[in-house]
Amino acid sequence: MPGIVKLPWLLQNVVRKRGMQGKKLFLDKEVARFRLSERVPPHNLYRRLAELVDWSFLHDETRVLYSHTGQPSLDPVVFFKLVLVGRLENLVSDRRLVEHCALRLDILYFLGYEVDEELPWHSTVSRTRQLFPTAVFERLFDHVFAQCVAAGLVTGHTQAVDSAFVKANASLEGLCEKQAADAPAPSLHVAGEPVPAVPAAHIISRPAHELQRVATTHARYLRNDSGPLGRSRPQARLLSNKTHYSPADPEARISVKPGKARALNYLCSMAVDESKGIVSHIQADFADRRDSVLLESIVAPLHHRLLTHDLPVQEVVADTNYSNGLNYALLEARGITPWIPVFGKYKPEIAGFTYDADADCFTCLAGKALPFKSFDKSQDGGLAKVYRASSRDCRLCPHKPTCAPRVKKRQLIRTAYAPNYRRALTRQQSRQGRRMRQLRQRTIEPVFGSLLQHYGLRRVNTRGRGSAHKTMLLTAIAFNLKKLLKHQPQRQASLAVALPKPAVEKQILLFWRKRHRR
């Protein structure tokens, strides 16, 4: 017929097999029968997580923080589950966290909320976080860590230690200069009207002589640094923890790291068990602290936590930032072997001087003695020994123009932990020392990458070191819970034992073989 297009035979069969085109209509009707437990499958992450941990102990831990009268507050179990969901879903904002949870049936089931029940307000979550002390968060961390130990995920033998910067909830644009301790408060006027001065308790001050020393150093730097384009370029702004602070978060510190811009950060120090990568300790520190000073504050609670589970620490692996004679001595005193590379400035010997261990004295090229004089405290808290020659020996010495040209007598400053340094250097140069460096890299660095990128630790949404510590504890708890859920206990392999054949069967087999040969 004209006007009708005939389809090929194969296409006609395909069209007939597909049938009528469907169209879904949404009526938005009320459902009379609906249960969350039927909608959340058994293998769901949050359903398994709700059955894995016994959360009831949190009521006992927080009971003293509430009154026996008044309106019911947010359930502590709901609060901790809610903030843990934020870590697992990589959400930093409390507002976004509440909006996200309202759209997920499995999270509602995990929190114990019905579909038609309103979730807590985001400001309630923030206030509850400030209400609970750090000890409650640490108690939850220990509870989850104990389950990891019971599952066989922690050995405690080797612990890897490292640190990383975490962005603070403050900006460099809002920094204020510190006032001198004896300077009067500045008077402010807006539109000719005086503005009430800021209370002295909210102004961070610094001794006047320290501020003057920093200003002199910066002025000298600006005079000597004209740059390739001359004086026409804008002068650099001095940003230092000695001269500036953040009024939004006074405990945030300006971090300085080669190759990276300055920023307001906190320092996240962490220890990871070598066996399965479980976080065994985590804490928040100031970003301007040196790693070598913080090692004892990490190892002491870590050692105590593992000893409660009869898992003594035997080896600690760290990078060169933790190299310190005091750290070597403290770890060896605890019976722990420190696998920490020696800092590059350490020299086992001094050219031109010989050391006598019995007399604790150095001898120069001219044969003159440099005996031990006194102790001196280094910048990282360690002890240094001062050896000094006499003025008469140096004045008459022919090597003085090259040995001590600008001073009256030669002086040597050596660490008081020289034997600890030598043992650490020997371990560093061994084959096992190279293996331990690789072990540290594959143990703790992937964990830090996961926490920063996938568990919401790229920025702290709270203010204050204590609140930052709570956030880091929650992040480590979420990471350990994920490890615990993925863990599957190994099944014992069945052994097949071949039993020897009975003697009767062997005689019958020989009889039939002989008969077959005949």
Side-chain angles (χ1 to χ4, degrees):
M1 294 177 63
I4 299 177
V5 179
K6 295 184 178 181
L7 299 175
W9 174 80
L10 180 60
L11 186 58
Q12 292 177 6
N13 292 343
V14 173
V15 173
R16 283 196 297 268
K17 289 181 180 179
R18 287 184 178 176
M20 184 182 297
Q21 181 184 14
K23 186 176 181 181
K24 180 70 176 65
L25 298 178
F26 177 65
L27 302 178
D28 195 16
K29 61 181 181 180
E30 294 184 3
V31 180
R33 182 182 177 277
F34 182 85
R35 298 185 64 180
L36 275 175
S37 59
E38 297 178 356
R39 296 291 179 175
V40 181
H43 61 272
N44 181 266
L45 169 68
Y46 291 102
R47 181 157 193 163
R48 295 169 55 202
L49 188 59
E51 301 170 354
L52 178 67
V53 181
D54 181 15
W55 307 88
S56 60
F57 75 97
L58 292 172
H59 292 104
D60 300 332
E61 293 289 334
T62 58
R63 183 172 289 111
V64 296
L65 303 174
Y66 295 94
S67 175
H68 62 282
T69 60
Q71 294 292 332
S73 60
L74 177 62
D75 190 341
V77 174
V78 174
F79 164 75
F80 279 101
K81 287 183 177 181
L82 194 60
V83 291
L84 282 176
V85 169
R87 301 295 103 185
L88 292 170
E89 297 293 327
N90 197 12
L91 297 174
V92 179
S93 172
D94 292 337
R95 190 188 298 269
R96 288 189 57 192
L97 171 62
V98 175
E99 295 176 355
H100 180 81
C101 294
L103 302 176
R104 293 276 298 271
L105 295 180
D106 54 348
I107 297 180
L108 291 177
Y109 177 78
F110 175 63
L111 297 176
Y113 275 72
E114 300 293 344
V115 179
D116 57 347
E117 193 175 359
E118 290 291 337
L119 287 173
W121 193 245
H122 64 86
S123 60
T124 305
V125 179
S126 301
R127 289 195 298 266
T128 307
R129 185 188 291 110
Q130 298 174 3
L131 169 67
F132 290 161
T134 309
V136 181
F137 292 80
E138 293 178 349
R139 177 70 180 87
L140 180 59
F141 177 84
D142 293 336
H143 183 76
V144 175
F145 184 76
Q147 289 192 255
C148 296
V149 174
L153 298 178
V154 181
T155 60
H157 183 275
T158 304
Q159 302 292 320
V161 178
D162 203 352
S163 61
F165 290 126
V166 179
K167 293 182 180 179
N169 191 9
S171 175
L172 289 176
E173 284 73 15
L175 292 181
C176 296
E177 292 187 5
K178 293 182 179 180
Q179 303 295 329
D182 52 352
S187 58
L188 300 178
H189 293 79
V190 177
E193 297 293 334
V195 179
V198 180
H202 299 281
I203 299 178
I204 298 180
S205 60
R206 193 82 177 180
H209 67 279
E210 294 186 5
L211 296 177
Q212 182 63 32
R213 189 191 310 107
V214 174
T216 303
T217 304
H218 188 232
R220 187 187 308 114
Y221 166 76
L222 294 179
R223 287 195 303 269
N224 298 334
D225 181 34
S226 59
L229 301 180
R231 291 293 183 181
S232 60
R233 66 170 186 171
Q235 299 291 346
R237 181 190 178 194
L238 174 63
L239 294 179
S240 172
N241 293 312
K242 296 180 180 180
T243 58
H244 291 77
Y245 73 98
S246 172
D249 189 359
E251 294 187 344
R253 296 291 187 269
I254 303 173
S255 63
V256 181
K257 191 172 184 179
K260 292 188 178 182
R262 297 191 177 193
L264 286 170
N265 293 326
Y266 283 99
L267 186 66
C268 177
S269 302
M270 186 172 62
V272 177
D273 187 78
E274 177 268 336
S275 177
K276 299 295 182 181
I278 297 294
V279 179
S280 54
H281 181 76
I282 192 168
Q283 66 183 34
D285 296 301
F286 296 116
D288 57 348
R289 298 292 300 276
R290 301 178 63 177
D291 292 344
S292 57
V293 181
L294 300 172
L295 185 62
E296 175 62 17
S297 64
I298 301 172
V299 175
L302 169 65
H303 192 56
H304 176 72
R305 178 178 293 114
L306 291 173
L307 282 181
T308 56
H309 301 284
D310 295 330
L311 298 174
V313 183
Q314 299 184 14
E315 295 178 343
V316 169
V317 189
D319 57 10
T320 316
N321 293 331
Y322 294 91
S323 176
N324 187 330
L326 180 60
N327 292 335
Y328 294 141
L330 291 174
L331 290 178
E332 291 178 358
R334 292 180 179 269
I336 303 174
T337 303
W339 294 95
I340 305 175
V342 177
F343 189 59
K345 292 184 177 180
Y346 171 75
K347 297 180 180 180
E349 297 179 356
I350 302 178
F353 293 85
T354 58
Y355 178 70
D356 185 3
D358 297 333
D360 194 13
C361 176
F362 281 91
T363 305
C364 65
L365 291 175
K368 303 299 181 180
L370 283 78
F372 167 72
K373 292 296 183 180
S374 62
F375 285 101
D376 189 14
K377 192 173 182 179
S378 59
Q379 185 179 2
D380 52 7
L383 288 178
K385 302 179 71 174
V386 180
Y387 299 86
R388 191 180 301 112
S390 64
S391 302
R392 176 183 175 82
D393 293 339
C394 289
R395 185 173 64 253
L396 302 177
C397 181
H399 301 282
K400 188 180 184 305
T402 57
C403 182
R406 298 182 180 180
V407 294
K408 295 182 179 180
K409 49 189 173 181
R410 181 59 189 267
Q411 175 178 288
L412 297 178
I413 299 178
R414 300 290 292 170
T415 175
Y417 309 100
N420 306 95
Y421 269 108
R422 284 193 292 268
R423 286 191 292 268
L425 188 61
T426 303
R427 288 191 296 267
Q428 174 186 349
Q429 296 173 350
S430 63
R431 179 180 297 180
Q432 188 178 1
R434 293 190 291 269
R435 289 199 300 265
M436 297 303 282
R437 287 197 295 270
Q438 298 175 359
L439 176 67
R440 186 200 66 84
Q441 293 177 357
R442 68 172 181 261
T443 297
I444 195 169
E445 291 184 0
V447 177
F448 257 126
S450 299
L451 296 184
L452 295 175
Q453 302 298 329
H454 305 292
Y455 287 85
L457 200 60
R458 59 187 179 275
R459 184 174 65 88
V460 177
N461 65 330
T462 56
R463 292 175 176 175
R465 179 188 173 190
S467 299
H469 182 50
K470 297 175 185 178
T471 303
M472 295 176 187
L473 283 171
L474 289 172
T475 307
I477 293 169
F479 182 82
N480 290 344
L481 284 174
K482 203 75 170 291
K483 285 272 188 180
L484 191 59
L485 287 175
K486 292 182 179 180
H487 173 65
Q488 296 180 356
Q490 297 181 356
R491 298 179 179 177
Q492 186 176 2
S494 59
L495 300 177
V497 181
L499 299 176
K501 295 182 178 181
V504 179
E505 294 183 2
K506 186 176 182 180
Q507 294 179 1
I508 296 175
L509 182 60
L510 293 176
F511 171 76
W512 283 104
R513 284 181 179 178
K514 291 180 181 180
R515 186 174 180 180
H516 180 70
R517 289 176 183 175
R518 293 178 182 176

